[in-house]
Amino acid sequence: MLFKGKSSILIFVTVFIFILSGCTEKKTPVDEMYNVLEDVVNKEKVFEEQQEPLVTLEKQEKELYDQIIKQGMKEYDQIVKLSDEALGLADKRKELFEKETTSLKESEQEFAKVADLKNQLDDPELKETANDLYDIMMKRYEAHRELYKKYSESLQNDKELYQMFKNKNLPLEVLEAQINKLNDSYKKVYAANEQFNKYTEQYNEKKLSFYKKAGIKTK
């Protein structure tokens, strides 16, 4: 039930912009794009904050699952106790995952501003990089929607399994079928998670490329 954490967008601590040709109050499209891209980072801080506690909960729940599997039916009361604890952890995982999903939605709303700004860029090469950046990020958001769907399904399968553990008269073949269903669902979670991570890495690389071509130096 444990899977690798999700990637996060790079945060630049200090940024120096050498893009303005003179002192002017009007912001250029590059300035505005920079502001949007860094605002996107801020919108995803809540997303990042959920990663470590979510992984911790997944580890704790996996430990409970292993304990349940090791128990014999003579230890039924202990199985019920462990199952209830696991159900509680599953609910907490859902809560954290919903928080990170909300954070991604806010990020997407902010990033949507790039659609117009990139078309205002005069430099053809810079505009091409901005278009690539936009396309990658939109794929990233779509990948997280798929991850959300698969993770939610797996969470539900988890909870159904823990309820089954509490049924003394449940046929073994029914329990085995649920475990197989759960394992299959988490394979899909792993695949969706890897896809999301891939797009995040691509986005970070393309963002650095955009900043370099725009004359924005980062430290």
Side-chain angles (χ1 to χ4, degrees):
M1 299 167 197
L2 181 66
F3 73 97
K4 296 179 182 178
K6 292 166 282 302
S7 299
S8 61
I9 292 180
L10 293 176
I11 298 177
F12 301 110
V13 179
T14 307
V15 177
F16 299 94
I17 305 178
F18 296 95
I19 223 46
L20 297 177
S21 58
C23 295
T24 175
E25 293 182 1
K26 185 178 179 180
K27 292 182 179 180
T28 68
V30 170
D31 293 331
E32 293 183 8
M33 271 204 60
Y34 161 73
N35 288 335
V36 169
L37 296 181
E38 294 308 303
D39 283 343
V40 165
V41 172
N42 291 328
K43 295 291 185 183
E44 294 199 14
K45 283 183 178 178
V46 174
F47 164 84
E48 294 173 18
E49 289 167 357
Q50 310 313 308
Q51 302 310 300
E52 186 174 344
L54 189 56
V55 170
T56 298
L57 287 175
E58 288 168 351
K59 289 180 178 179
Q60 292 174 349
E61 190 176 322
K62 179 63 166 59
E63 290 172 0
L64 289 174
Y65 172 83
D66 290 340
Q67 290 180 49
I68 292 170
I69 294 298
K70 292 178 182 178
Q71 301 293 325
M73 285 313 296
K74 291 181 179 179
E75 304 296 332
Y76 176 73
D77 290 343
Q78 181 66 7
I79 290 176
V80 171
K81 179 178 179 295
L82 293 172
S83 297
D84 284 338
E85 288 180 20
L87 283 166
L89 292 179
D91 286 336
K92 290 180 180 178
R93 279 202 292 137
K94 179 176 175 58
E95 182 180 341
L96 294 183
F97 200 69
E98 291 292 344
K99 283 184 179 180
E100 79 163 39
T101 300
T102 298
S103 178
L104 262 291
K105 288 179 180 178
E106 292 175 356
S107 165
E108 185 172 7
Q109 289 176 352
E110 181 65 23
F111 187 80
K113 298 175 183 177
V114 171
D116 290 330
L117 291 173
K118 64 186 178 63
N119 294 327
Q120 298 174 29
L121 299 172
D122 295 325
D123 185 281
E125 187 176 357
L126 192 59
K127 181 180 286 188
E128 182 180 0
T129 302
N131 282 327
D132 291 341
L133 181 74
Y134 181 81
D135 291 341
I136 292 170
M137 190 58 145
M138 297 312 291
K139 289 178 181 178
R140 177 177 178 266
Y141 290 130
E142 184 58 38
H144 192 272
R145 281 190 282 274
E146 182 65 15
L147 176 59
Y148 176 85
K149 178 182 176 183
K150 299 304 181 185
Y151 194 82
S152 296
E153 290 174 356
S154 294
L155 264 174
Q156 183 58 37
N157 289 334
D158 275 328
K159 296 179 74 171
E160 290 175 4
L161 178 62
Y162 298 136
Q163 292 291 356
M164 287 181 178
F165 281 139
K166 293 161 64 175
N167 184 352
K168 230 178 199 181
N169 301 315
L170 187 73
L172 181 60
E173 58 269 21
V174 175
L175 185 62
E176 290 177 342
Q178 181 65 18
I179 291 175
N180 289 334
K181 179 182 177 181
L182 182 61
N183 289 336
D184 288 340
S185 70
Y186 269 103
K187 287 179 182 178
K188 295 176 181 177
V189 170
Y190 300 147
N193 187 58
E194 287 300 313
Q195 187 67 60
F196 176 77
N197 286 346
K198 184 185 78 171
Y199 285 132
T200 300
E201 291 170 3
Q202 290 178 0
Y203 172 81
N204 286 333
E205 291 173 0
K206 190 62 67 172
K207 180 180 174 181
L208 284 172
S209 178
F210 176 81
Y211 280 2
K212 183 178 180 180
K213 291 176 181 177
I216 301 171
K217 295 185 178 181
T218 62
K219 284 187 179 180

